[in-house]
């Protein structure tokens, strides 16, 4: 049985709604219904910045623009045109599966990973102290890899891909 967690369909992007309620939405919903949300709301500023970057990258690719500042202002005030976004997301839907065996989103297939589990975890959670990354001040709590839900793992993966050296 194959495990699937498609970022376009499954809730993982943490947002606050217009009335201040926290919830997680799919990447597709975040893009197509952006006017319903006030902000991306994660405890990590790295995750917030990385998610903004990912959302903008997908929007620019799907919309092939904006063409100019006026069009950018129109999109900002009136919303993004949904048809090109929906078309783009449908075309590339298969590439947004976090656990795809051949092309996992933002990753290499599991068979190509040669690092220890602890090192992988310390890369996704740079604030966590492990044997692989000792800190002077250890304020982070311990964390088990098995406790990492796909939604949180997705956010950490996007932040890691954005900020890792």
């Amino acid at each position: 049985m194959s495990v699937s967690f498609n970022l376009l369909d499954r809730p993982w992007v943490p947002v606050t709604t217009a009335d201040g309620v926290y919830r997680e939405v799919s990447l597709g919903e975040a893009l197509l219904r952006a006017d319903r949300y006030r902000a991306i709301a994660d405890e990590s500023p790295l995750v917030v910045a990385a998610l903004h970057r990912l959302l903008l990258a997908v929007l620019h690719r799907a919309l092939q623009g904006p063409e100019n500042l006026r069009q950018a202002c129109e999109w900002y005030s009136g919303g993004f045109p949904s048809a090109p976004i929906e078309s783009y997301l449908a075309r590339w839907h298969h590439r947004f599966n976090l656990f795809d065996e051949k092309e996992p989103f933002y990753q290499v297939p599991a068979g190509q990973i040669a690092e220890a589990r602890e090192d992988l975890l310390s890369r996704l959670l740079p604030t966590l102290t492990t044997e692989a990354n000792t800190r002077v001040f250890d304020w982070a709590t311990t964390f088990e890899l098995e406790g990492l839900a796909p939604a949180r793992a997705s956010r950490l993966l996007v932040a890691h891909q954005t900020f890792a050296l």
Side-chain angles (χ1 to χ4, degrees), residues 128-147:
L128 178 68
T129 299
T130 66
E131 288 180 22
N133 73 343
T134 338
R135 302 271 190 243
V136 175
F137 300 103
D138 182 10
W139 53 268
T141 58
T142 58
F143 192 87
E144 293 294 324
L145 188 58
E146 287 77 19

Side-chain angles (χ1 to χ4, degrees), residues 52-97:
H52 278 286
R53 183 174 180 257
L54 175 64
L55 289 165
L56 282 171
V58 173
L59 280 175
H60 279 273
R61 190 71 174 152
L63 299 175
Q64 298 294 310
E67 293 176 8
N68 52 44
L69 183 58
R70 184 172 39 133
Q71 186 178 47
C73 291
E74 289 171 5
W75 288 351
Y76 183 77
S77 63
F80 303 112
S82 61
I85 297 171
E86 290 170 347
S87 175
Y88 178 84
L89 297 181
R91 179 177 178 203
W92 295 105
H93 186 272
H94 67 286
R95 296 300 298 268
F96 286 86
N97 184 356

